[in-house]
Amino acid sequence: MKTIGLLGGMSWESTTLYYQLINQSIKRRLGGLHSARVALVSVDFQDVETLQHQNRWDEAGELLARAAVQVQAAGADGLLICTNTMHKVAPAVEAAIDIPLLHVVDATAAQARDRGHQRLGLLGTRFTMEQPFYRDRFTERYGIDMLVPDLAEREEVHRIIYEELCLGTISEASRARMLEIIDGLMAAGAEAIVEGCTEIGMLVGEQHTQAPLYDTTAVHAEAAVTWALAP
């Protein structure tokens, strides 16, 4: 079994889900007392959030690159960045390490392709929904079209993520609003919805909507286990 490297803390709530989902999958696949081999470095999300909202992405990349080197030094054989938004600086992270980066878009797009979905609605932070680093990887590498909500809805999703979910707050009113936005994306032609923020799955799950969902936290974690157990 390979050692899965986790670069977490963005937020710590979703990082706990990564650890839980990875170990649940290992237990399900191997049985007994098996658990995952994991190396985790957790950063201070306040520092990262400040850099994000000040548009200081080069500095954010340097911060995560340093943390990724720590994960590698702890014995990781491959690395997951446990947040969708910070895949914006994935090139800086990859350049700093000698182990593979298991990209969240690759894991999600592969599953969408296997299920025959070619047009996906995207929910995430404003950075993820509006900037090309995330959407373009789906389109250019996998031929999957991406739809995003309108500006007011993007602002509302962004607010819910940072002001509620990243603080561990689950609001029924916000769940209802998120479901309205999902319904709008499906009406606009989306075949399924990408929960492109690792916290959104805390708020909206398959039990809340008939729309097919890609919970990127769960998809990413499962892909990591498949990789770790491969010969």
Side-chain angles (χ1 to χ4, degrees), residues 171-217:
S171 162
E172 289 299 328
S174 293
R175 177 179 287 129
R177 183 67 182 118
M178 197 76 81
L179 290 171
E180 289 177 356
I181 295 170
I182 287 173
D183 289 343
L185 287 169
M186 296 298 290
E191 299 167 344
I193 302 297
V194 174
E195 295 184 324
C197 171
T198 51
E199 285 82 19
I200 292 178
M202 297 162 54
L203 183 66
V204 176
E206 293 180 349
Q207 69 272 28
H208 301 120
T209 177
Q210 293 183 345
L213 300 176
Y214 291 100
D215 178 346
T216 54
T217 304

Side-chain angles (χ1 to χ4, degrees), residues 92-114:
V93 171
E94 286 183 294
I97 57 178
D98 301 316
I99 56 177
L101 173 68
L102 309 179
H103 201 290
V104 67
V105 167
D106 296 341
T108 306
Q111 190 172 109
R113 185 177 56 190
D114 289 345

Side-chain angles (χ1 to χ4, degrees), residues 69-142:
V69 170
Q70 291 180 285
V71 178
Q72 177 175 303
D77 296 303
L79 179 72
L80 278 68
I81 303 174
C82 300
T83 161
N84 287 267
T85 297
M86 293 311 292
H87 278 74
K88 178 177 173 66
V89 301
V93 171
E94 286 183 294
I97 57 178
D98 301 316
I99 56 177
L101 173 68
L102 309 179
H103 201 290
V104 67
V105 167
D106 296 341
T108 306
Q111 190 172 109
R113 185 177 56 190
D114 289 345
R115 295 180 180 180
H117 291 148
Q118 298 179 320
R119 200 172 197 211
L120 302 176
L122 174 61
L123 299 176
T125 66
R126 189 175 67 243
F127 313 114
T128 299
M129 291 186 288
E130 295 178 357
Q131 297 182 19
F133 72 92
Y134 197 88
R135 294 181 288 109
D136 283 3
R137 194 175 181 102
F138 275 100
T139 302
E140 294 173 0
R141 296 197 178 202
Y142 299 95

Side-chain angles (χ1 to χ4, degrees), residues 2 6 15 20-21 28 38 48 61 70 74 77 88 101 122 137 141 145 153 156 159-160 177 193 197 213 218 224:
K2 303 181 189 74
L6 300 180
T15 303
Q20 180 182 49
L21 290 166
R28 185 171 60 251
V38 173
V48 174
Q70 291 180 285
D77 296 303
K88 178 177 173 66
L101 173 68
L122 174 61
R137 194 175 181 102
R141 296 197 178 202
D145 293 331
E153 291 173 335
E156 181 65 4
R159 183 198 67 77
I160 290 169
R177 183 67 182 118
I193 302 297
C197 171
L213 300 176

Side-chain angles (χ1 to χ4, degrees), residues 30-46:
L30 300 183
L33 296 177
H34 284 289
S35 57
R37 299 182 186 275
V38 173
L40 166 66
V41 170
S42 187
V43 301
D44 184 349
F45 190 35
Q46 183 66 63

Side-chain angles (χ1 to χ4, degrees), residues 213-229:
L213 300 176
Y214 291 100
D215 178 346
T216 54
T217 304
V219 172
H220 204 194
E222 195 66 26
V225 171
T226 297
W227 167 84
L229 296 180

